[in-house]
Amino acid sequence: MRDTAYFSTMGRFVHACVRLEVLLETAPAALPAGVRAAQAELAALLARMVDGSLQPTEEELDALTARAEAAIRDGQAAG
């Protein structure tokens, strides 16, 4: 059974993925290719988490969240 901290970390990751998706939908032409690639990769990982084929550790989720947040910052800086 996962603890509350794990689900909180997962929630932060999902929130960052959604923010990145919204950024992609609202300004696709202005985004660098690296931001689009990060979004596609993170969305694929999220889909695997949802279907149960990937169960990252809390530390891995933190790292993925940091990647998503970095992509968001890069996308906002480009816009």
Side-chain angles (χ1 to χ4, degrees):
M1 181 78 183
R2 302 282 184 171
D3 64 4
T4 304
Y6 180 85
F7 289 109
S8 177
T9 303
M10 174 65 83
R12 285 190 1 261
F13 173 67
V14 170
H15 182 253
C17 285
V18 170
R19 288 180 52 220
L20 188 53
E21 178 68 26
V22 168
L23 183 64
L24 182 72
E25 289 177 3
T26 57
L31 295 178
V35 173
R36 292 191 301 273
Q39 186 278 329
E41 181 181 353
L42 293 168
L45 290 172
L46 181 58
R48 289 184 56 209
M49 288 176 211
V50 169
D51 75 14
S53 65
L54 178 65
Q55 295 179 349
T57 66
E58 191 171 341
E59 292 78 18
E60 290 169 326
L61 282 171
D62 279 333
L64 291 170
T65 302
R67 285 182 53 209
E69 289 171 347
I72 291 166
R73 284 190 302 274
D74 291 347
Q76 289 172 335

